Amino acid sequence: MTATEQTEAARPRGTRLPRRARRNQLLGAAQEVFVAQGYHAAAMDDIAERAGVSKPVLYQHFPGKLDLYLALLDQHCESLLQAVRTALASTSDNKLRVAATMDAYFAYVQDEGGAFRLVFESDLTNEPAVRERVDRVSLQCAEAISEVIAEDTGLSKDESMLLAVGLGGVSQVVARYWLSSGSTIPRDQAVQLLTSLAWRGIAGFPLHGIDQHGTDPHGADPQGPPKGADQN
């Protein structure tokens, strides 16, 4: 459920909601306010008004503004991580897997709720609890990517992680640029361009199992792309 859907689901002030529904409603309202105003300019009064509740109701669920912000951050960091994991598991064709992972980042920043701003463009990164969460999700996404790289190439854990951090970093930076610049390039075309760039690099690492003479014990073409993927 998006932030807008969460807040639109709100009932008039004073109407009781189940605790989980109320919490989701408050998180949706808070996301809209934080994305629009930033953490420092946002006020709990603004969030309560947006949600259509009294401040005491808001404080029953979240003791303070930072608690509310961190709850949102946890929610959207988890969403990004799950999107990356889903993309990696969506196919065994490595080029398509790179494209799916790139597209996961583009879809994440394109979401109308603007949640990516809380993760990648927060005005509260000097707060240790925020910095820890942002760093952790970046690391977890890279670890998920590196596991696939290590499995397919036989590169060491450190080598695979370095490549994975690069792929994840390029994906989110380019996706954010694509959105903020108002690019006329459609998302699928932007993903294809970035995938072509990344694939020409990552495809240079041979599949794990090809010996020093270039022979695949399973009979596959050692010069061919991983798992049958097209290198164009």
Side-chain angles (χ1 to χ4, degrees), residues 8-88:
E8 286 181 350
R11 298 179 184 176
R13 186 186 298 273
T15 302
R16 293 185 63 84
L17 286 174
R19 185 170 182 82
R20 181 181 294 275
R22 179 68 79 192
R23 178 181 171 86
N24 287 337
Q25 173 203 344
L26 296 175
L27 286 170
Q31 180 177 327
E32 292 183 6
V33 173
F34 283 135
V35 168
Q37 301 181 20
Y39 178 83
H40 295 293
M44 293 293 269
D45 286 312
D46 299 329
I47 295 169
E49 181 178 354
R50 181 71 185 87
V53 302
S54 65
K55 276 183 68 176
V57 169
L58 179 57
Y59 280 112
Q60 285 174 9
H61 292 264
F62 302 99
K65 186 167 72 166
L66 180 58
D67 300 281
L68 182 49
Y69 192 86
L70 293 177
L72 266 176
L73 198 57
D74 285 338
Q75 181 184 81
H76 293 300
C77 283
E78 181 62 24
S79 294
L80 174 60
L81 178 59
Q82 289 306 315
V84 169
R85 286 174 172 169
T86 298
L88 290 168

Side-chain angles (χ1 to χ4, degrees), residues 92-121:
S92 60
D93 182 312
N94 283 333
K95 185 175 182 182
L96 294 180
R97 189 149 49 188
V98 170
T101 304
M102 299 283 186
D103 190 57
Y105 282 92
F106 275 77
Y108 187 71
V109 304
Q110 195 181 30
D111 181 82
E112 67 177 15
F116 81 94
R117 300 189 187 281
L118 305 179
V119 180
F120 296 130
E121 299 177 359

Side-chain angles (χ1 to χ4, degrees), residues 16 20 38 63 90 97 120 122 125 142 149 158 164 167 175 203 206 213 229:
R16 293 185 63 84
R20 181 181 294 275
S90 65
R97 189 149 49 188
F120 296 130
S122 174
T125 52
I149 293 174
D158 285 347
L167 286 172
H213 301 294

Side-chain angles (χ1 to χ4, degrees), residues 166-227:
L167 286 172
V170 165
S171 299
Q172 65 99 347
V173 169
V174 174
R176 286 165 52 209
Y177 168 78
W178 169 79
L179 183 70
S180 65
S181 67
S183 176
T184 58
I185 301 174
R187 179 175 126 196
D188 59 347
Q189 186 179 346
V191 169
Q192 182 179 7
L193 283 169
L194 190 58
T195 299
S196 295
L197 174 65
W199 180 247
R200 289 184 183 279
I202 200 70
F205 296 96
L207 279 180
H208 184 52
I210 295 178
D211 66 23
Q212 61 180 342
H213 301 294
T215 303
D216 185 337
H218 302 293
D221 178 5
Q223 301 303 316
K227 298 185 180 177

